[in-house]
Structures are given as C-alpha cells and as structure tokens.
Amino acid sequence: MTALRHAAEVIAGHPDQDFYAIALHGVSTEESESIGMPLLALNSVQALERDRLSESREQLVERGEDTDEPADYEDRPDAEGEGGLEPEAVTLEADSMVITETDDEDEESFDDESADGEDLDEVLASLEADLEEDDAESFYSDKWEPSDWHWSSIDLCEDPAATLWSEAMTKQAAREGWEPTVKRYYHTLVAVARSLREELNERTKADLVVYVADEEHAEKLLQLCLTDKQLSTYFPQLSSLPEGA
C-alpha cells in the first residue's frame, strides 16, 4: 500500500516529531471532468506549534505590533531614570491635608469600582482565552485542516501511473454515473484510512487520527474513519451523534 509506505517513511524520518494525524484529501465529491488520486498529509504537534507561532508573528508585524523595540528607540524625555527631569519640590498647605467623610466615601467607591472593573476584565480575558482554545482545537481549525499542515501534499504515486489511474476512474464514472462511482471511491478511501490507522498505531506509541478529509461530508467521514474512543477524545460533539446524522 503506497499510502502506508509514504506515511511510515515520513514518521520514521522524523523521530523527534510527535505525529498526531494523517489525512487523505484533495478529492471532491462534486462532479467534475476527472477523478484524481487523493493527496496524503501528515502533521506533528511540534510542526503545528511552530507554524502557529510563525503565523502569529507575521500578523503582528503586518499590524505594526511587533513587540521588539526598534534599534533607534529612545525613552521619552519625562521618563523615570538617570538623566531624567529633577523632581520638583512640592509644598502642601495645611488645609489640603484635611480629609472629610465625603472624600473617604468617594475614594472607597472608586476603589470598589476599580476592583469590579478588574474582576470583569479578568473574566472577559478568561472567556476569550477559552474560546480561542476551543477554536484552536475544533475540527475546522488549522489543527485538522490537512492543506495547512507541514506535510500537506504527498503524491501517492507518480506519473504515468497516477494519470492512468485517473483516466480509468473517470471512464468508469462516465459509464456508471458520477455519484455511484464517487460513493464507491470514498468507501475505498475510508477503508484505506482505517487500515493506515491500525498499521501505524501498531508501529508507533501515538494514537494517530487517520481520516478522509472533505468539507461537505466532514462529520460523516470522521465517524466512519475514527474509533469511538478517538471521537469522544478529539471531537466529543460528534461522538453523541448517530452515524446517519
């Protein structure tokens, strides 16, 4: 099986990487002039983190929010530190030191409002962090989008074999109809994904998530490709749905 050989070679060639997913992608169920072979994609935890950090850095630079100080950065003339302005002498009048009860109440009220404001900011920041974490782990994030992965487009075979295979599938679709041909094709891809998972999980310590990627039938394909344990671990919102949903 060429998919198994290619995937095993990538994993064996990068022993320092913790691979978490493999996908077959690039084949649409929508009718077209030809049916091509799927692409093989793999990703590791380290590659995902590196790509996300790189993307975040690029976005900061584009927005002009680079956190590094420029080489010609200078302190404001009124900044604290050596060489700054000398502090001015301040003389307090006796009357200015009188604090009334009203002043106390206003100060306490201000402190309470500040504390409430800080609490609200913390709550909002926590909620935002939770939402970002959920988005980063969802199936529609870059974590599970094979076209965004580090190893994203590995050909299963080269020409002329790939062209001959595509021509044969296209002729079959013209003869028997597009929908039944693609349906059988996807059943074959699901079987390949399951076989890949079983074979590679025996060779590695990781519980590799192996699936056929297609946006139109994403949830259905995940349910067909993954084990019940993987569904409940990585996509709990799908594990409670019946397979026909």
Side-chain angles (χ1 to χ4, degrees), residues 161-172:
T163 300
L164 292 173
W165 187 93
S166 177
E167 290 175 351
M169 288 295 296
T170 303
K171 289 179 180 178
Q172 181 176 336

Side-chain angles (χ1 to χ4, degrees), residues 65-210:
E65 298 177 8
D66 191 357
T67 55
D68 291 340
E69 292 182 352
D72 58 348
Y73 177 83
E74 293 182 2
D75 286 333
R76 289 168 42 192
D78 59 344
E80 295 181 359
E82 296 182 2
L85 298 178
E86 292 292 333
E88 296 181 3
V90 178
T91 303
L92 296 177
E93 299 292 338
D95 293 342
S96 67
M97 298 299 292
V98 177
I99 301 176
T100 64
E101 293 182 1
T102 303
D103 293 335
D104 286 341
E105 292 175 358
D106 291 343
E107 185 174 348
E108 290 176 1
S109 176
F110 177 77
D111 290 341
D112 291 341
E113 290 176 0
S114 298
D116 291 341
E118 291 174 358
D119 291 341
L120 180 58
D121 289 341
E122 291 176 2
V123 171
L124 291 175
S126 177
L127 288 173
E128 184 177 359
D130 290 342
L131 289 173
E132 289 179 354
E133 183 177 356
D134 290 342
D135 289 342
E137 295 297 317
S138 74
F139 177 70
Y140 295 99
S141 70
D142 56 348
K143 181 176 182 178
W144 303 106
E145 175 49 59
S147 61
D148 292 336
W149 292 353
H150 186 72
W151 297 272
S152 61
S153 55
I154 301 173
D155 292 322
L156 295 181
C157 65
E158 299 178 355
D159 282 333
T163 300
L164 292 173
W165 187 93
S166 177
E167 290 175 351
M169 288 295 296
T170 303
K171 289 179 180 178
Q172 181 176 336
R175 184 174 60 253
E176 301 180 8
W178 177 269
E179 186 172 342
T181 301
V182 169
K183 187 175 182 179
R184 283 198 299 271
Y185 183 23
Y186 264 74
H187 276 295
T188 301
L189 293 181
V190 168
V192 171
R194 289 175 172 176
S195 179
L196 274 174
R197 184 192 70 234
E198 293 171 359
E199 290 284 345
L200 291 173
N201 283 350
E202 286 184 2
R203 304 184 187 189
T204 66
K205 61 181 180 180
D207 182 27
L208 289 168
V209 176
V210 186

